[in-house]
């Protein structure tokens, strides 16, 4: 929220009725932050960059032809200090006797187009020049470069240009407004909070200077309109007034200056007034060309699905049946509360207008705004809930401003369609509850003063509670805790007492086991060179098939068209991060992420599952002087997975082929007959969807299942054996298609307790060992924890293993 300091101060009373002195911007910034309107930045605003510093009014005393240039003039300029400056000027319209703007030596000018330029003494065609006589575009005052600016004859020589053009410094507050504070989305709303704070802390009643004057009066009844509200839920109040004979022109300087200070570009007097009122009061208005309203009737209604409508930006949009529209007798004119139409807006030829002020349902406006991607100032206010009681007062103020600035006459009474007037919300506040939440005892008079200054009305006061009605400007106030927050804000959030004694109740940690092992896995991966990523759990439904989408959790009020479901799988959101890095030439990636997937079952119940996912692409080691970088493959990611399983203390029982269509050459791992992970290379079709050109290897671990299995482990500790382990190697010739998993199973069938581990360390293929055959070199580690093993014992165990291989695998022992 952008707030102008000068504009804000116009609503703060001074003198006996208000402040004894002006509040400086820095102090005001601290006050705003202390009452919950956090000032994220405060900076000086200059209507013209540089503030015309070093520029003065001068008078051209002489103007002669340059001795060495036909198109240049040699002038003498009086600066009002007794000093006469010789200035070479190239403007055709310069002449003796003119009052002009002069940039003196050392001044920096900021042209409308081009870079800033600092004045220096210079020689131009052999003649010294001690400054510059300026055109309006050269100093940021306009676009014209037809010649130098010639001022009226009464301009006083020596007057600083900033003083002559009445430039004033301003300061801009950028307030980080929380979504519930619609009451502070205007200068008047911020001023109300400031006055409440000052009244409380200065012990003096300080009221906002209201811009609303009781001077509205129709001039005639020559332009009557009829209003019909068909959808009274989406439009609960609609007011309007007709104004005839307006002249569309540029706004006066004061109005343009206010809009420019908050970053708005002036357009014309009618549009500028509606924007001014919006930022003054928080109430959006819309001006229609009254001559475009056929049959002089306005109908607020919904239109059939896919009705075409051309908006102000000249785009044709297909309307939803849920979009509320402002229509005339024949066609739609405006998307209510969001955006105007191409054929009903105010143009340079407009002479009669109909001015609208309404209250639209926040939910309806937000959905329409997001559906069409139209995030306008009006929509952002309507979707938070504007003050329904302000609809008519704001309309009257705007009508009088239009009459004052654009001329014309008010040609109708106020039309106010309010089918079911709203009742104010009532909230009770108990004294002990206020003390409990705030930690502070507030006197009853203090409570009443603070709340009354914020617009609350006391309707009942008892021994232990007060009951108030809530102003319509604060739709977020519903319960006692909300009222406590209002009191604490105005008292100052930095005035909350810090207790000398803090008591806490011991907590029972229910997720300690999950957190511990999640941290262990994360530490292992981080120590292995992986980087943890956090991706958005809201993703794009376009990534998934229709079959998957039937089980997804869809967003009811999504922020954009692309982010419309909760992710049913981890892969796609992770690939978004992978693609982002690859596009920036970060080609070697090792990522991991702990996250959730979401689905809905046939009974309509929402399901969340925790996952650990791993993404690896590019090289898994860096190039060095001693070794080349190693490319990542399936076995690398499988080894990472198995090390994580060791961290969890869970041996994998079996690997079987995975049926995941998004993976190629993939396996699924099971432990105790439960599927715990899928490992593989992500398929080309899925990579192409993210424009990824290099292989990406992926592991998806079902973290919920793994932690459940891990809980059942009975951890035992024992001393390191004092007896040495013995290693033996064996080479066997088997069918080429035989996996090592079959060798492990055959080894396990022998049930040798003293066999500690088995590992494959080489595979050899050659015609010499037979077609369709391969040699597997395997290492075995034996250990007896009670004694040193003899060769006879080890040979006996190796013979049992060899026998199992020959019988179960058809293996041949390679000599």
């Amino acid at each position: 929220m952008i707030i102008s300091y000068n504009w804000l101060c116009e609503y703060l009373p001074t003198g006996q009725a208000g402040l004894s002195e002006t509040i400086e911007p820095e102090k005001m910034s601290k006050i705003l932050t202390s009452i919950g309107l956090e000032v994220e930045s405060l900076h000086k605003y200059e209507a013209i960059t540089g503030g015309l510093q070093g520029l003065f009014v001068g008078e051209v005393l002489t103007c002669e032809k340059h001795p060495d240039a036909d198109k240049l003039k040699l002038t003498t300029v009086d600066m009002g200090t007794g000093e006469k400056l010789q200035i070479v000027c190239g403007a055709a319209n310069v002449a003796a006797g003119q009052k002009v703007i002069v940039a003196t030596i050392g001044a920096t000018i900021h042209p409308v187009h081009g870079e800033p330029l600092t004045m220096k003494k210079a020689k131009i065609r052999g003649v010294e020049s001690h400054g510059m006589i300026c055109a309006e575009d050269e100093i940021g005052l306009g676009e014209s470069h037809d010649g130098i600016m010639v001022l009226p004859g009464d301009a006083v020589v020596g007057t600083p240009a900033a003083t002559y053009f009445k430039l004033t410094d301003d300061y801009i507050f950028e307030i980080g407004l929380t979504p519930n504070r619609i009451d502070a989305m205007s200068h008047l709303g911020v001023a109300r909070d400031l006055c409440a704070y000052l009244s409380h802390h200065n012990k003096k009643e300080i009221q906002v200077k209201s811009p609303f004057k009781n001077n509205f009066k129709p001039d005639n009844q020559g332009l009557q309109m009829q209003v019909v509200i068909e959808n009274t839920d989406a439009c609960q109040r609609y007011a309007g007034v007709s104004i005839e004979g307006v002249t569309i022109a540029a706004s006066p300087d004061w109005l343009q200056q206010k809009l420019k200070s908050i970053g708005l570009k002036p357009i014309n007097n009618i549009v500028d007034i509606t924007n001014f009122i919006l930022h003054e009061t928080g109430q959006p208005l819309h001006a229609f060309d009254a001559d475009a309203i056929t049959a002089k009737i306005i109908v607020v209604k919904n239109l059939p699905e896919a009705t075409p409508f051309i908006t102000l930006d000249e785009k044709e949009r297909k309307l939803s049946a849920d979009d509320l529209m402002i229509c005339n007798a024949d066609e739609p004119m405006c998307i209510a509360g969001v955006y105007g139409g191409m054929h009903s807006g105010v143009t340079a030829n407009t002479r009669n207008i109909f001015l609208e002020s309404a209250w639209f349902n926040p939910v309806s406006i937000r959905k329409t705004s997001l559906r069409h991607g139209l995030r306008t100032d009006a929509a952002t206010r309507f979707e938070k809930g504007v003050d329904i009681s302000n609809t008519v007062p704001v309309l009257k103020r705007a009508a009088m401003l239009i009459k004052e600035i654009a001329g014309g006459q008010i040609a109708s009474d106020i039309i106010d369609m309010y089918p079911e007037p709203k009742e104010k919300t009532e909230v009770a506040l108990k004294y002990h509850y206020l003390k409990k939440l705030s930690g502070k005892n507030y006197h009853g008079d203090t409570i009443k003063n603070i709340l009354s200054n914020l617009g609350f009305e006391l309707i009942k006061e008892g021994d232990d509670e007060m009951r108030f009605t809530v102003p319509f400007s604060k739709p977020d106030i519903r319960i006692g805790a909300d009222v406590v927050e209002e009191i604490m804000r105005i008292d100052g959030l930095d005035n909350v007492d810090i207790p000398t004694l803090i008591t806490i109740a011991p907590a029972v940690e229910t997720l300690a086991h999950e957190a511990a092992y999640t941290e262990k896995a994360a530490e292992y991966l981080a120590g292995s060179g992986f980087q943890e990523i956090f991706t958005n759990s809201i993703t794009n439904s376009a990534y998934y098939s229709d079959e998957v989408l039937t089980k997804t959790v869809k967003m009811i009020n999504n922020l954009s068209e692309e982010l419309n479901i909760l992710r049913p799988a981890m892969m796609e959101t992770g690939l978004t991060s992978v693609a982002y890095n690859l596009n920036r030439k970060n080609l070697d990636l090792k990522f991991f992420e702990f996250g959730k997937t979401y689905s809905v079952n046939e009974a309509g119940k929402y399901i969340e599952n925790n996952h650990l996912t791993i993404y690896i692409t590019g090289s898994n080691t860096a190039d060095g002087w001693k070794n080349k970088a190693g490319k990542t493959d399936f076995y690398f990611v499988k080894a990472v997975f198995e090390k994580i399983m060791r961290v969890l203390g869970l041996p994998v029982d079996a690997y079987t082929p995975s049926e995941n269509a998004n993976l190629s050459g993939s396996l699924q791992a099971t432990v105790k007959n439960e599927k715990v992970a899928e490992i593989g290379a992500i398929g080309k079709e899925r990579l192409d969807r993210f424009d990824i050109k290099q292989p990406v290897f992926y592991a998806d671990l079902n973290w919920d299942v793994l932690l459940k299995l891990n809980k059942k482990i009975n951890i035992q500790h024992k001393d390191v054996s004092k007896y040495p382990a013995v290693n033996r190697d064996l080479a066997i010739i088997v069918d080429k298609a035989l996996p090592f998993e079959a060798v492990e199973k055959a080894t396990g069938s022998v049930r040798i307790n003293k066999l500690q581990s088995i590992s494959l360390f080489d595979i050899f293929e050659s015609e010499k060992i037979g077609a369709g055959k391969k040699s597997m070199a395997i290492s075995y580690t034996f250990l007896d924890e009670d004694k040193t093993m003899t060769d006879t014992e080890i040979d006996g165990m190796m013979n049992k293993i060899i026998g199992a291989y020959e019988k179960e695998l058809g293996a041949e022992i390679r000599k």
Side-chain angles (χ1 to χ4, degrees), residues 297-362:
I297 184 170
I298 290 173
V299 184
V300 185
K301 64 180 181 179
N302 298 86
L303 295 175
E305 186 74 27
T307 299
F309 178 65
I310 300 176
T311 47
L312 273 173
D313 55 5
E314 301 183 8
K315 293 181 181 179
E316 181 177 285
R317 302 175 190 274
K318 299 294 184 183
L319 300 177
S320 164
D322 295 327
D323 294 334
L324 187 67
M325 302 298 295
I326 310 299
C327 307
N328 59 30
D330 301 323
E331 61 184 0
M333 299 188 296
C334 173
I335 302 177
V338 178
Y339 209 50
M342 183 68 186
H343 304 302
S344 63
V346 174
T347 67
N349 299 320
T350 297
R351 291 295 172 263
N352 305 313
I353 65 170
F354 178 77
L355 192 61
E356 165 197 282
S357 178
W359 189 96
F360 298 118
N361 188 298

Side-chain angles (χ1 to χ4, degrees), residues 752-772:
I752 299 175
N753 294 331
K754 295 176 183 177
L755 178 61
Q756 298 290 302
S757 66
I758 172 176
S759 62
L760 176 69
F761 66 86
D762 188 40
I763 294 179
F764 174 72
E765 296 179 14
S766 172
E767 293 181 358
K768 294 180 180 179
I769 59 176

Side-chain angles (χ1 to χ4, degrees), residues 679-699:
I679 310 162
I682 297 177
K684 185 178 184 304
E685 183 179 346
R686 186 89 313 201
L687 294 180
D688 289 344
R689 182 70 177 77
F690 293 87
D691 199 27
I692 295 174
K693 307 298 184 186
Q694 64 186 55
V696 179
F697 295 91
Y698 174 76

Side-chain angles (χ1 to χ4, degrees), residues 760-804:
L760 176 69
F761 66 86
D762 188 40
I763 294 179
F764 174 72
E765 296 179 14
S766 172
E767 293 181 358
K768 294 180 180 179
I769 59 176
K773 298 289 185 178
K774 65 180 177 183
S775 171
M776 303 176 76
I778 305 166
S779 177
Y780 306 85
T781 301
F782 299 93
L783 176 67
D784 189 331
E785 296 182 356
D786 297 322
K787 61 183 178 64
T788 301
M789 299 183 69
T790 65
D791 287 341
T792 303
E793 289 178 297
I794 296 169
D795 290 342
M797 288 184 283
M798 286 299 297
N799 287 333
K800 287 181 180 181
I801 292 171
I802 291 170

Side-chain angles (χ1 to χ4, degrees), residues 633-644:
D633 57 17
F634 171 83
Y635 298 102
F636 182 82
V637 69
K638 179 172 176 283
V640 171
F641 162 70
E642 290 182 343
K643 287 175 182 176
I644 293 172

Side-chain angles (χ1 to χ4, degrees), residues 234-235 238 278 283-286 288 300 323-326 333-341 356-362 364-370 374-384 386:
C235 177
Y238 190 97
L278 171 70
Q283 173 67 43
L285 302 174
H286 188 76
F288 296 94
V300 185
D323 294 334
L324 187 67
M325 302 298 295
I326 310 299
M333 299 188 296
C334 173
I335 302 177
V338 178
Y339 209 50
E356 165 197 282
S357 178
W359 189 96
F360 298 118
N361 188 298
S364 171
I365 295 300
R366 180 169 176 80
K367 287 182 177 180
T368 295
S369 173
L370 293 173
L374 295 170
R375 304 297 294 153
T376 60
D377 281 347
T380 55
R381 283 161 175 80
F382 277 126
E383 71 185 20
K384 290 177 173 62
V386 297

